[in-house]
Amino acid sequence: MPVFKRRGVVGALGIVGLAKTALSTRTAKAFDSVPAGFMRVQSKLDGFKFYVPTDWILSKTSGNTAAYENPVDFQENLFVSISGRTKYDSIKDLGTPKALAEDIEKKLVTEFMSTRIGVRRVSDISFANERIDKDGKVYYDIGVRVRSYASRNALAVSQAAIDEAVELEFDRLFLVTLGVANDRVYELRLQTSNDGYPKSKPVLDKIQGSFEVAAVKCPSINSCTPGGAK
């Protein structure tokens, strides 16, 4: 059973929270209702669960709450992060899907900022949807595309010469799901290449659509200690 340290950051939506998280994984069985080829990743301590392909491997280099990667395609990976305590009861308290998609877009561009000469980032929102699960909890499913362009001749004398040598460095699609539970904001972030997305879409859509959060008995360190909530 993998154990992680919770060190997730949901951009402007939350701050770092530290705790240990025990994750259990179970492969598909008849009584488990997990799709064939997937396993359920679940943290009863932190209150989230999602499906991941059985051939994806646990990432040991990520500092996030949970992280997996596709061993066949290094550009496909995911992580879960959890914010610190907030005042929010629902993801709708933070704004509309479009507003949060714009925040995520800005955050991603900031993450990929470069001081290199001749580097340019281009981003756009692919989709921003509201999803309601069987228990009535609201989630935002968001897609943001980020492209990076760089010049092979960044030190050229003229701007024209720099621009002539510009080429695409990467073209990535980020699939983000946001939800709120236990006074915290949860984020599932998937990453893939934009070119590879059409082929991987059924699998990635299954992962994104399976992400759910739920109330836990002890949402804070002190809530189950003497004098705390039971």
Side-chain angles (χ1 to χ4, degrees), residues 9 25 27 32 38 50 64 68 80 85 88 93 112 114 120 131-133 157 168 170 174 187 200 216 219 222 228:
V9 181
T25 58
T27 53
D32 213 12
F38 288 82
F50 60 91
N64 294 286
Y68 284 82
V80 174
R85 299 297 295 274
Y88 305 118
D93 295 336
F112 287 108
S114 174
R120 179 169 57 94
R131 168 168 57 91
I132 302 176
D133 71 7
V157 176
L168 180 67
F170 65 76
F174 296 87
E187 176 187 12
S200 300
V216 296
N222 298 321

Side-chain angles (χ1 to χ4, degrees), residues 4-161:
F4 294 87
K5 286 186 178 180
R6 182 193 295 162
R7 199 182 68 183
V9 181
V10 192
L13 307 180
I15 58 177
V16 174
L18 296 176
K20 285 189 176 180
T21 301
L23 290 181
S24 64
T25 58
R26 294 184 294 173
T27 53
K29 296 180 181 179
F31 62 86
D32 213 12
S33 70
V34 179
F38 288 82
M39 60 183 174
R40 174 181 292 148
V41 177
Q42 182 170 8
S43 171
K44 294 183 178 179
L45 176 63
D46 279 313
F48 68 82
K49 62 183 178 180
F50 60 91
Y51 299 150
V52 68
T54 54
D55 58 347
W56 282 35
I57 60 176
L58 192 65
S59 174
K60 300 184 182 299
T61 59
S62 172
N64 294 286
T65 303
Y68 284 82
E69 57 190 28
N70 184 344
V72 178
D73 184 352
F74 71 93
Q75 296 188 81
E76 288 189 355
N77 53 74
L78 68 82
F79 69 77
V80 174
S81 63
I82 307 172
S83 77
R85 299 297 295 274
T86 72
K87 61 182 179 180
Y88 305 118
D89 297 318
S90 167
I91 194 64
K92 298 181 77 170
D93 295 336
L94 282 79
T96 65
K98 181 180 179 182
L100 266 64
E102 291 172 348
D103 289 343
I104 290 172
E105 181 183 16
K106 293 175 184 176
K107 179 174 180 284
L108 287 169
V109 171
T110 300
E111 288 180 3
F112 287 108
M113 283 182 63
S114 174
T115 57
R116 290 180 296 152
I117 299 173
V119 175
R120 179 169 57 94
R121 308 286 193 237
V122 178
S123 63
D124 55 74
I125 297 170
S126 301
F127 60 86
N129 302 320
E130 178 180 307
R131 168 168 57 91
I132 302 176
D133 71 7
K134 61 183 181 301
D135 298 319
K137 186 173 288 295
V138 178
Y139 300 86
Y140 288 170
D141 294 327
I142 294 167
V144 176
R145 183 182 179 186
V146 179
R147 300 176 294 285
S148 177
Y149 297 90
S151 176
R152 301 187 311 275
N153 196 13
L155 300 180
V157 176
S158 68
Q159 185 62 48

